[in-house]
Amino acid sequence: TKRSSYTMNKEQLLNEWLEEEKVAHIHGWDFSHIHGKYEEENDLPWDYSKIIRHYLLPEMKLLDIDTGGGEFLLSLKHPLCGAFNENEIWRVLKPKGIFITQQVGAENDRELVELLLNEIPPLPFPKQYLHKVQQAFEKKGFTTLEAEEVYRPIKFWNVGALVWFAHIIEWEFPNFDVKKCLLNLYHAQEVLEKNGVIEGRIHRFLYVAQK
């Protein structure tokens, strides 16, 4: 049956999850390790590349900030304090300059956090809501050109992939540890066997503003 195809004994599951925990390292924003075992961001209502090309003119200079996984910055163990600052964006932009960003929202992956962790941490970036960002930028003097915010599913078909994911996204899953969270992982396996998938939500927003 479909259910029995997922069923493994607890010792096998534990060994699989410990192995995923062991190999949970990333270079660049590369999630190929769990390719085919999870799915996200395949149905956003905007195309970030097309939006940039729409506003891009040949005479413009481009500044790319805060992309990739931030692995080097994380290695410095410096306190996390958010992604960008409207005052600095205003300072570096020329008049009529355009700021375009696609951001991970404050409530990203919260259902998965609640599923795995024994103690639910506060939101890591509580200001990451479109209305808060838009309000701050407009107060500074920016004109909003585009603004969209969505919640979309993130799906896992393997608990080991979720273990790897939770270690990579450590700011969302602080202090996650296979042995400490083992009962939660067994519960996640039960959810997977019952429903065929573990599902949460991603939180994304797009914001385009002009100085």
Side-chain angles (χ1 to χ4, degrees), residues 61-65 84-99 137 140 142 211:
K61 294 182 178 180
L62 299 176
L63 174 63
D64 185 23
I65 59 173
F84 55 82
N85 182 287
E86 66 275 7
N87 296 307
E88 282 298 293
I89 301 298
W90 181 271
R91 183 181 66 83
V92 300
L93 275 183
K94 294 181 178 180
K96 302 296 182 181
I98 296 175
F99 174 66
F137 271 72
K140 184 63 183 178
F142 284 92
K211 181 175 176 179

Side-chain angles (χ1 to χ4, degrees), residues 105-125:
E107 297 178 29
N108 195 60
D109 296 330
R110 290 304 283 184
E111 294 85 359
L112 301 176
V113 171
E114 293 172 3
L115 178 66
L116 293 190
L117 297 188
N118 297 319
E119 297 182 8
I120 309 306
L123 295 174
F125 301 105

Side-chain angles (χ1 to χ4, degrees), residues 14 30 40 44 48 51 55 64 67 70 103 134 141 174 176 180 186-187 195 208:
L14 174 58
D30 178 12
E40 67 169 328
L44 295 180
Y48 188 61
I51 290 170
Y55 290 101
D64 185 23
T67 57
Q103 289 288 322
Q134 183 171 346
F176 171 71
K180 291 179 181 177
Y186 286 144
H187 174 65
N195 301 330
V208 183

